[in-house]
Amino acid sequence: MPETYTAERTISAVFKEQKQVDDVIRRLLDRGVSRDHISVLGRNFQSETRIAGFITKKDVILGGLRTGAIFGSLFGSFLSLLTGVGVLFIPFVGPIVAAGPIGAVLLGAASGAIAGSAGAGLVSVLTTLGMPEDKAAVYQTRLQAGEFLVMAEVAGDRGGEFQLLIESAGGEEVHTIETTLARACTSGCNTPEDLSPEVRSHLSVEAQHKFIERYNTVLNETNDQTKAEHAAWDTIHQQYDEDENGVFSKAKANV
């Protein structure tokens, strides 16, 4: 039976070039970091391969911005190994390719923070994760400029090792958060009580059950928690609108 991957903190950094991102993903995977615990955000990915992502046709992009999906391109074999690759629209940044668990955070639990902060964009999301506002602002600015953000969730006793790895791969503005990104369900998802508080607080009771139903269906099909979470949020965005408190509670007509 394979050993369960343990992650206790999240190390993040910005990279100037796409080839650096490809390299650091390869090195993280080679050192045993689970592909489900690596996240990437970036604007300027260049490839002819279309993303098969968690955003489709006319889905909600982020925080109540209903402008239609923006599809980009997937670069490199290493990014394609990550889970939940798709495209988001983030206020003040624009269309962003997102891969890994950060995509589900942006799609779901953080949307209320975005809506409630007058479109504060990625800064608001990252500060809800425990990042200082000044560091989050630097990340947002550098994403706007076309650079890339990489986040790796690692074991607490290997934090120094992976910080050095990221720095040696060209990572700048390296920062560590003493927690990992929130998941919908940490061990099974059978009742609303199994949902993380960050997810549950943004769903009505009816929407919670819809989320769980879709999550479990995709998890049984793929055995991939990240894909299951993205699919569940996708269903919520298709079937519900947010109310004035940022809770998905208003069933859409003709669904």
Side-chain angles (χ1 to χ4, degrees):
M1 184 175 179
E3 184 179 349
T4 301
Y5 182 79
T6 300
E8 299 162 315
R9 59 178 58 174
T10 304
I11 304 174
S12 54
V14 289
F15 291 84
K16 291 182 177 178
E17 299 179 8
Q18 178 178 306
K19 63 183 179 181
Q20 294 175 312
V21 176
D22 197 30
D23 178 56
V24 77
I25 292 173
R26 175 184 58 80
R27 293 171 66 176
L28 288 168
L29 293 171
D30 286 347
R31 291 284 188 94
V33 178
S34 165
R35 70 189 186 99
D36 299 325
H37 289 78
I38 301 173
S39 296
V40 179
L41 295 174
R43 294 181 65 181
N44 295 333
F45 291 109
Q46 303 297 325
S47 173
E48 295 180 357
T49 305
R50 178 169 173 156
I51 287 176
F54 47 81
I55 302 291
T56 59
K57 293 185 180 177
K58 296 183 179 179
D59 294 344
V60 177
I61 304 290
L62 182 63
L65 295 181
R66 289 154 175 79
T67 57
I70 303 170
F71 285 92
S73 295
L74 174 63
F75 97 94
S77 60
F78 290 102
L79 184 64
S80 67
L81 292 176
L82 306 184
T83 54
V85 181
V87 180
L88 304 169
F89 185 89
I90 299 178
F92 305 114
V93 180
I96 291 288
V97 176
I102 189 62
V105 172
L106 292 169
L107 278 170
S111 63
I114 289 285
S117 57
L122 189 65
V123 172
S124 181
V125 176
L126 295 178
T127 54
T128 64
L129 302 177
M131 188 175 292
E133 186 174 350
D134 57 346
K135 179 65 70 175
V138 169
Y139 285 168
Q140 177 168 293
T141 298
R142 295 188 67 164
L143 277 171
Q144 286 173 313
E147 297 181 10
F148 308 92
L149 174 61
V150 174
M151 307 175 79
E153 298 168 283
V154 303
D157 59 357
R158 299 182 69 188
E161 170 193 346
F162 286 112
Q163 179 170 332
L164 289 174
L165 182 155
I166 288 170
E167 290 173 346
S168 68
E172 301 178 7
E173 300 289 347
V174 179
H175 183 77
T176 299
I177 302 171
E178 297 298 327
T179 186
T180 57
L181 304 181
R183 264 62 171 184
C185 299
T186 55
S187 57
C189 201
N190 299 309
T191 70
E193 287 69 33
D194 293 329
L195 293 170
S196 71
E198 296 88 349
V199 171
R200 191 168 61 246
S201 64
H202 289 282
L203 301 172
S204 68
V205 173
E206 180 182 342
Q208 290 171 17
H209 288 286
K210 289 284 186 181
F211 186 101
I212 290 170
E213 180 182 5
R214 181 60 175 157
Y215 180 94
N216 288 338
T217 297
V218 176
L219 184 64
N220 289 335
E221 292 173 351
T222 66
N223 197 33
D224 189 318
Q225 291 184 357
T226 304
K227 287 182 179 178
E229 186 170 358
H230 287 151
W233 277 119
D234 185 42
T235 295
I236 294 300
H237 283 298
Q238 289 180 24
Q239 297 188 15
Y240 295 91
D241 285 323
E242 291 174 281
D243 62 22
E244 61 277 7
N245 297 314
V247 176
F248 288 95
S249 62
K250 299 164 66 176
K252 291 183 177 181
N254 301 321
V255 174

